[in-house]
Amino acid sequence: MFPHQQQLADQFQQQYGCPPVAIARAPGRVNLIGEHIDYMGYGVMPMAITQSCHAAIAWEPGRAGAQAASGAGSSHCQHTQQQQVMRIANVQQQLYPSGQLELHPSSQLAPDSPGWFRYILAAYKGCCEFAGAQQQPIPSSSNILLLVQGDVPPGGGLSSSSALVVAAALALLALWGVPASPAQVAELTCSCERYVGTQGGGMDQAVSLMAQPGVAMHVEFNPVRASPVCLPEGAAFVVANCLAASHKAETAASRFNLRVLECRLAGMLLAKLLSAHSTATGTTGGSDHARSSSSSSEDSCRWLYWRAVKVLKAVEAALLKFAAAQQPPLAATQAQAQLQWAVEQLLPQASYTLQQVAELLGCCPSELLALLPPALQAAAACGLALRLQQRALHVFSESQRVLQFAQVCADASLSDAAKLSQLGSLMDASHASCAGLYECSCAELDALVGAARAAGALGARLTGAGWGGCVVALLPAAGAPAFMQQVAQQFYEPALAAGKLAREQLQACLFMTVPAGGAEVALQ
Ligand code: ADP
Ligand code: NG1
Ligand code: MG
C-alpha cells in the first residue's frame, strides 16, 4: 500500500458512494541536468520526487454494466444509449473544481470546464488512441468516476501536470483492463499531454513511470528508455521554489512552444545549409532533391533533407563532419567546440524572422508553416525574433553536460568529493546556458540560484522549463540543514514578512529530496 492510498479510497467512497476499482500514483520529478533538450531528441537526467498525483477510479453504479465497444480498427468509443461521461472531483476542491467531461475521443473541452480538466481529457484521448492501436476494446456503457489528489506544487517545474496525466492514464487503462508497459504509457502520455498545448519531449512522463528509488535516471528517447545512474555518496539535493509560478500551457503560443519552434527551425536550417555546403565541397554529398536515386554514400545523409528534420540530435553528426572537413583543420578537437564552431558559422545572425528562415530554406513562409504542427504555427504567428544560433548552442552544449554528468557519476577513479564538485560545476554551467543562451530563467530564479550558491551549494540551477518555478541545488549532505536555514533566511524571510508567503507553505517551497520510485497502480 502506498501513502495516501487508503485515505483516497475512503474519500472516494464518501464522494461517490462506492469504492474505487483502482488507484494510480504517479510522482513528480526534479531534473538534475538536461533542460529543454528532450524535445530535440537528447537524453536527460531527472529523478522522481516523493510528491505525487493520485487518481482513484470506478464505474458509476446504477447503469447497465460496462459493455465492451469494439476498439478493433477504430479508436472511437461507441455509444449505444446516453452520452458517456466522466465525473471528476479533486480532494482540493477549492483549487480544482469538480464537474464532468463528455467522453468521446474527439471531444473538446466545454468553455466553462475547469482548466485542469484539459489534462484529464488529454489522458483520456491518449488512452483511446492507444487502446485503438492495440485493437483493445474500450468499455463505454457506464459512466466513469474519478477522484484526484496531488501534492506536486503546480507550475513549479516539478511536473505536476505530467504526474496528473500519467496517474489519470494509468487509472483509465486499469479500469478498462487494457495492459500497457511503463514505456508504452510513457510514449502515450508524452504524446497526449501535447493536446494541452506544450510540445514537450517526454522526460516528465518517462521518469514518472520508470523511476527507481535511490538513483537518478538517464532517460533517452526514440524509443523511450531509462537507465539508473548512481549518485555519489553524500550528495544531497535541495529543491527551492522561487515563488514565481510558471504555467507553460496558458496560451497556445507559449514561450515554451516558441523555444521548440526555434530549435526545430535551427535544425531545418542547419540541415539545408549543410546540404548546400556539402554539394559545393563534396564533403557530405547530395542535394535535397532526387533522394531516391542517391548513391549509397549519399544514403547515409538522407535524413539531412531539411523538410524531414524534427530534432537537433539528427543534425549533430553531420555538423561534426562539416566542422572536421574545414581547411585549415580546426585546432579544437573536442566535439563540443566543433559543434559550437559549426553552428556559429552556419547561423551567424543574432536573430532571424520567419521570412528570413523561409528564404534561406528556399520556400515561402506559408510552405514552411505547413510543415509544422498547429501549436508551433501559433508560436510562429507571434512574429517574435527567432534566436536560432543561441538555442542550438544551448541544446548541443546541454546534451554534452548530461553525458559528462553520467560519466562523472560512473568514474571509479574519482573521490566522492571530487565527483560532487564536478557535478556542481556542470549544474552551474547548465544554469548559465539556460539563462544566457536559452533565456528561460527569470529574475526570481537567478536571485534564488545566487542565494543558493552564497549559502554553500556546490552547484545550483533552474529545473524544469523555467520562467519561474524551482531551483535544484547540490550539497554535501552534512551541509544541507545549515544551507536550508540560510536560504530560508535570505530568500524566504522577506516574502514571509511581506505576507506573500504563509509560514506553513515554507515546507512545500524548500525541501530536501531523495530519488523516489516510479508510478504504481493498486487494484482495490
Ligand atoms: P508543472 O508541470 O511545472 O507543475 P504546468 O503548468 O505544466 O506546471 O502544470 C500545472 C497545471 O497542472 C495546473 O495549473 C493544473 O491545471 C494541473 N495540476 C497540477 N496538479 C494538479 C492537481 N493536484 N489537481 C488538479 N490539477 C493539477
Ligand atoms: P515542465 O517544467 O514540467 O513543464 C517541460 C516539459 C519537458 C521538458 C522541460 C524542460 C512537458 C510536459 N514537459 O517540463 O518535456 O522539455 O520542460 O527541460 O512539456
Ligand atoms: Mg508541466
Side-chain angles (χ1 to χ4, degrees):
M1 184 157 314
F2 45 78
H4 296 293
Q5 186 182 330
Q6 188 54 52
Q7 198 188 351
L8 190 60
D10 295 344
Q11 284 166 322
F12 191 98
Q13 175 78 47
Q14 228 173 356
Q15 175 85 26
Y16 294 119
C18 65
V21 169
I23 300 182
R25 181 191 76 83
R29 61 101 185 97
V30 57
N31 191 20
L32 301 181
I33 198 155
E35 225 59 86
H36 288 281
I37 60 172
D38 58 346
Y39 51 78
M40 283 293 117
Y42 285 106
V44 292
M45 188 73 65
M47 65 191 203
I49 56 178
T50 47
Q51 290 91 328
S52 302
C53 188
H54 300 80
I57 201 161
W59 296 113
E60 185 175 50
R63 284 177 69 183
Q67 288 164 7
S70 170
S74 151
S75 64
H76 285 245
C77 305
Q78 293 175 5
H79 307 282
T80 42
Q81 306 155 1
Q82 287 163 271
Q83 170 67 54
Q84 188 194 22
V85 298
M86 186 191 292
R87 303 196 198 288
I88 304 171
N90 198 300
V91 166
Q92 290 171 283
Q93 166 71 26
Q94 299 291 324
L95 260 182
Y96 304 112
S98 15
Q100 66 181 43
L101 273 182
E102 291 202 349
L103 293 184
H104 190 272
S106 58
S107 39
Q108 300 295 318
L109 213 56
D112 57 347
S113 291
W116 70 283
F117 282 18
R118 289 178 297 174
Y119 299 92
I120 309 288
L121 182 62
Y124 170 75
K125 287 185 173 194
C127 290
C128 284
E129 279 164 16
F130 176 77
Q134 303 286 313
Q135 312 251 309
Q136 291 280 337
I138 302 167
S140 65
S141 65
S142 282
N143 291 331
I144 293 175
L145 306 172
L146 186 79
L147 180 64
V148 169
Q149 182 272 336
D151 61 0
V152 184
L158 302 177
S159 276
S160 69
S161 62
S162 301
L164 173 57
V165 172
V166 170
L170 286 173
L172 263 174
L173 293 172
L175 185 73
W176 290 347
V178 172
S181 68
Q184 284 175 317
V185 182
E187 301 276 13
L188 97 84
T189 48
C190 166
S191 304
C192 75
E193 195 170 339
R194 294 198 189 114
Y195 288 129
V196 177
T198 50
Q199 304 296 295
M203 154 171 65
D204 306 349
Q205 301 85 354
V207 69
S208 184
L209 283 147
M210 297 193 246
Q212 295 170 25
V215 285
M217 303 304 295
H218 187 200
V219 177
E220 296 170 276
F221 304 98
N222 306 313
V224 69
R225 57 208 187 275
S227 29
V229 172
C230 288
L231 296 162
E233 269 309 302
F237 290 96
V238 173
V239 173
N241 195 312
C242 81
L243 304 180
S246 168
H247 293 291
K248 281 120 325 204
E250 298 296 78
T251 60
S254 64
R255 294 175 284 199
F256 186 93
N257 288 345
L258 180 63
R259 292 293 176 275
V260 183
L261 172 74
E262 291 173 308
C263 289
R264 180 100 162 238
L265 294 178
M268 287 174 157
L269 214 40
L270 288 170
K272 172 76 182 185
L273 298 172
L274 278 166
S275 285
H277 173 89
S278 59
T279 309
T281 63
T283 48
T284 53
S287 70
D288 59 2
H289 296 295
R291 295 282 150 183
S292 55
S293 61
S294 59
S295 70
S296 62
S297 67
E298 287 168 338
D299 276 353
S300 60
C301 308
R302 201 174 273 230
W303 50 263
L304 264 182
Y305 187 49
W306 67 267
R307 287 170 200 269
V309 169
K310 291 199 167 62
V311 292
L312 279 165
K313 190 173 186 214
V315 183
E316 183 180 319
L319 274 174
L320 288 174
K321 214 166 159 185
F322 168 78
Q326 297 310 301
Q327 289 301 332
L330 285 178
T333 49
Q334 282 194 335
Q336 203 178 327
Q338 289 191 355
L339 272 176
Q340 180 172 339
W341 182 87
V343 173
E344 284 166 358
Q345 295 298 307
L346 292 166
L347 300 174
Q349 290 180 213
S351 71
Y352 293 77
T353 62
L354 191 74
Q355 176 78 37
Q356 286 172 329
V357 176
E359 271 165 26
L360 285 164
L361 290 171
C363 66
C364 57
S366 59
E367 209 183 331
L368 175 56
L369 285 174
L371 295 171
L372 303 171
L376 298 191
Q377 291 176 8
C382 294
L384 292 170
L386 302 164
R387 293 164 65 84
L388 306 187
Q389 182 194 97
Q390 299 86 330
R391 311 314 181 215
L393 287 177
H394 166 76
V395 170
F396 290 135
S397 63
E398 184 76 351
S399 69
Q400 293 293 320
R401 283 186 285 274
V402 172
L403 298 178
Q404 288 161 11
F405 195 97
Q407 279 159 9
V408 169
C409 288
D411 190 340
S413 72
L414 290 173
S415 68
D416 285 328
K419 286 184 183 183
L420 288 183
S421 146
Q422 291 187 27
L423 296 182
S425 302
L426 287 167
M427 290 171 69
D428 285 345
S430 169
H431 185 77
S433 183
C434 284
L437 291 171
Y438 220 69
E439 297 178 276
C440 64
S441 188
C442 62
E444 292 88 343
L445 278 170
D446 289 342
L448 184 50
V449 163
R453 289 191 191 131
L458 298 167
R461 56 180 296 279
L462 65 83
T463 184
W467 297 290
C470 289
V471 158
V472 57
L474 171 64
L475 291 136
F483 168 86
M484 288 171 72
Q485 221 169 8
Q486 192 172 328
V487 171
Q489 192 124 43
Q490 206 189 319
F491 193 84
Y492 294 105
E493 273 307 328
L496 288 164
K500 290 183 190 155
L501 181 73
R503 203 158 282 281
E504 59 273 18
Q505 292 175 302
L506 190 55
Q507 222 183 337
C509 288
L510 178 67
F511 57 90
M512 193 153 92
T513 187
V514 290
E520 50 202 325
V521 179
L523 294 173
Q524 298 297 106

